[in-house]
C-alpha cells in the first residue's frame, strides 16, 4: 500500500536556527497537510495545501512557518527561527481528493528537538 | 467551533473482553467523524469514518463505531480485544460546512489490553 514518507525521523536543532522538514505524499494525492503533536498532547492542525497554495492555516502557523512544494513529489515545512516550544512530532498527511470526508494518510512523523 | 472530547486518558481491558473508547463531539451542522490509531513511533492510521447513512460503521481490525446524533457521540468498540490492539486512539471530527481541509482531533485515549 502506498505510504506517506517523512525525513528525517529525528531532527535536533539549536534554538534560532532554521529547519526544514520533508515529506513525500502519496503520488496521486493532491491535498497535503501538516500537523503537530507536542509530547503527550493532542494532534494539532497546522496547515493544508492544494494547488500550490495554502488552503487553510491554524493560529499556530505564524510567520515563522512556511510550506512549499518545490517539485512534483516533495512537500516541505520550514520553521524560520526555531523556538524551544517548537519541539514536537510533526506529521505530514495527504488525501486524494478534497472534502472533509476524506480519510487522511499520515507519515510516521519527524521528531523535532530544539536545544 | 468544532471540538472533540475523549473523556478517558486510558482504558484497560482484559484480552477477549469487549472494549469501548468514548468520544463526543461538537460541530455546526452534520459531522464527519473519524477514528485513527497510533502505534509507538508511527503516524496515525485511519480506522473508520462516519459520513452519512447507517449509524453503525465497521472499520479495520474488527473495530466498529456507533454514531449517536442525540448524544453527539461516536464511541469506538470491538467485541473481543486483542493484546495487539494496545495503542493510542484518536477521535476526529470535521464539518461539511467548514473549510474543505480541517480536521480536529481529540486528546487521545491510550488503550491497554492485558493478556
Amino acid at each position: 500500500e502506498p505510504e506517506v514518507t517523512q525525513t528525517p525521523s529525528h531532527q535536533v536543532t539549536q534554538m534560532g536556527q532554521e529547519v526544514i522538514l520533508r515529506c513525500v505524499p502519496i503520488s496521486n494525492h493532491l491535498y497535503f497537510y501538516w500537523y503537530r503533536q507536542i509530547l503527550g498532547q493532542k494532534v494539532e492542525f497546522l496547515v493544508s495545501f492544494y494547488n500550490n497554495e495554502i488552503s487553510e492555516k491554524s493560529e499556530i502557523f505564524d510567520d515563522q512557518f512556511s510550506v512549499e512544494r518545490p517539485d512534483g513529489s516533495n512537500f516541505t515545512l520550514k520553521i524560520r527561527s526555531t523556538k524551544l516550544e517548537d519541539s514536537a512530532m510533526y506529521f505530514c498527511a495527504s488525501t486524494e481528493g478534497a472534502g472533509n470526508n476524506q480519510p487522511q494518510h499520515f507519515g510516521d512523523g519527524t521528531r523535532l528537538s530544539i536545544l | 467551533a468544532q471540538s472533540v472530547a475523549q473523556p478517558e486518558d486510558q482504558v484497560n481491558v482484559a484480552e477477549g473482553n469487549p472494549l469501548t473508547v468514548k468520544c463526543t463531539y461538537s460541530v455546526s451542522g452534520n459531522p464527519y467523524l473519524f477514528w485513527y490509531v497510533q502505534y509507538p513511533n508511527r503516524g496515525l492510521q485511519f480506522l473508520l469514518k462516519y459520513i452519512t447513512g447507517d449509524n453503525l460503521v465497521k472499520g479495520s481490525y474488527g473495530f466498529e463505531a456507533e454514531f449517536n446524533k442525540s448524544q453527539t457521540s461516536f464511541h469506538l468498540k470491538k467485541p473481543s480485544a486483542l493484546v495487539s490492539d494496545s495503542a493510542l486512539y484518536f477521535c476526529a471530527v470535521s464539518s461539511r460546512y467548514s473549510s474543505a481541509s480541517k480536521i480536529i482531533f481529540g486528546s487521545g485515549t491510550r488503550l491497554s489490553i492485558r493478556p
Side-chain angles (χ1 to χ4, degrees), chain A:
Chain A
E1 184 175 329
E3 291 184 344
V4 175
T5 57
Q6 290 186 243
T7 56
S9 57
H10 191 188
Q11 174 79 44
V12 181
T13 301
Q14 292 287 332
M15 186 173 61
Q17 296 296 306
E18 175 183 284
V19 66
I20 297 176
L21 309 182
R22 302 182 190 280
C23 169
V24 179
I26 294 173
S27 62
N28 65 333
H29 284 191
L30 300 176
Y31 295 80
F32 315 117
Y33 312 85
W34 283 101
Y35 292 85
R36 179 181 82 177
Q37 185 181 31
I38 295 172
L39 185 64
Q41 298 186 25
K42 66 170 68 176
V43 177
E44 300 173 293
F45 170 80
L46 291 178
V47 66
S48 59
F49 189 87
Y50 167 70
N51 198 25
N52 285 319
E53 288 184 345
I54 290 174
S55 304
E56 185 168 0
K57 59 184 181 180
S58 71
E59 53 276 6
I60 302 169
F61 194 89
D62 61 20
D63 291 345
Q64 294 298 312
F65 291 87
S66 62
V67 289
E68 191 178 32
R69 188 155 163 81
D71 53 42
S73 60
N74 289 285
F75 179 51
T76 62
L77 174 69
K78 182 193 292 186
I79 308 175
R80 199 177 346 269
S81 177
T82 49
K83 302 186 285 287
L84 293 176
E85 54 264 38
D86 293 328
S87 295
M89 284 290 290
Y90 288 81
F91 292 104
C92 174
S94 67
T95 57
E96 184 175 358
N100 296 343
N101 60 358
Q102 298 269 328
Q104 298 187 5
H105 297 258
F106 284 78
D108 285 341
T110 293
R111 182 175 299 283
L112 178 63
S113 299
I114 306 301
L115 304 179

Side-chain angles (χ1 to χ4, degrees), chain B residues 20 26 31 50 80 87:
Chain B
T20 299
S26 174
Y50 170 81
S80 178

